[in-house]
Amino acid sequence: MGSSDLLFPLLLIAAVALTAESVRQLRRRWVLVKVEGASMEPALKDGDEVLAKRTKRIAVGDVVVVAAPDPDLGWAETRRPKAPWWIKRVAAGPGETAPGTGGTVPEGHYFLLGDNPAGDDSRRHGPCPQQMIFGTMVRGF
């Protein structure tokens, strides 16, 4: 078996490894989330899908994808395993006044609201730690 006989299998293995790594990198930077419930109506309806990109640049008014809080404990400092994604709008950032509370949003946290007041959000669970936010919505489908 000559060196030319090994070339094709080695190239094939390299191509598969490169493809797998590319997919892994894309999944770390992008997420597609299905809207569940009416908390973001009328902007986003139940069943719509949102494409979000991981970012640390978060501004008031952005629609973000965030790990859902624990129903009893609220948002923790670390993402719960298998926690579903929520889609909410940033209403106030660190140091700003949280709407409807009069309190100030702590450093490293954001006050998140649904567009429809009927849903759960920071009014119930308190300000959300920045590390719980995956990223901002790029496009809704």
Side-chain angles (χ1 to χ4, degrees):
M1 186 179 232
S3 62
S4 63
D5 293 335
L6 292 175
L7 185 59
F8 179 74
L10 288 175
L11 287 175
L12 184 60
I13 290 169
V16 168
L18 184 60
T19 301
E21 179 60 18
S22 297
V23 168
R24 189 180 76 78
Q25 289 295 325
L26 282 173
R27 291 188 66 168
R28 289 182 64 194
R29 292 191 176 105
W30 297 89
V31 68
L32 186 64
V33 179
K34 189 173 196 171
V35 176
E36 294 181 10
S39 75
M40 287 302 292
E41 286 184 358
L44 299 168
K45 295 176 179 27
D46 185 45
D48 288 351
E49 291 183 319
V50 167
L51 179 64
K53 181 180 182 186
R54 184 180 295 277
T55 184
K56 292 185 180 189
R57 294 182 184 179
I58 300 167
V60 172
D62 285 349
V63 174
V64 295
V65 171
V66 58
D70 180 276
D72 299 318
L73 303 174
W75 275 296
E77 295 296 322
T78 57
R79 188 180 189 305
R80 294 180 300 126
K82 309 236 183 213
W85 293 116
W86 275 11
I87 301 163
K88 300 295 174 191
R89 190 173 306 276
V90 178
E96 297 178 339
T97 303
T101 68
T104 302
V105 178
E107 263 321 296
H109 289 71
Y110 289 87
F111 199 81
L112 307 178
L113 295 176
D115 288 353
N116 182 345
D120 276 348
D121 50 33
S122 286
R123 289 173 284 211
R124 176 171 178 215
H125 299 288
C128 175
Q130 181 174 351
Q131 59 264 38
M132 299 296 285
I133 299 174
F134 175 85
T136 57
M137 181 179 88
V138 175
R139 184 168 182 200
F141 303 97

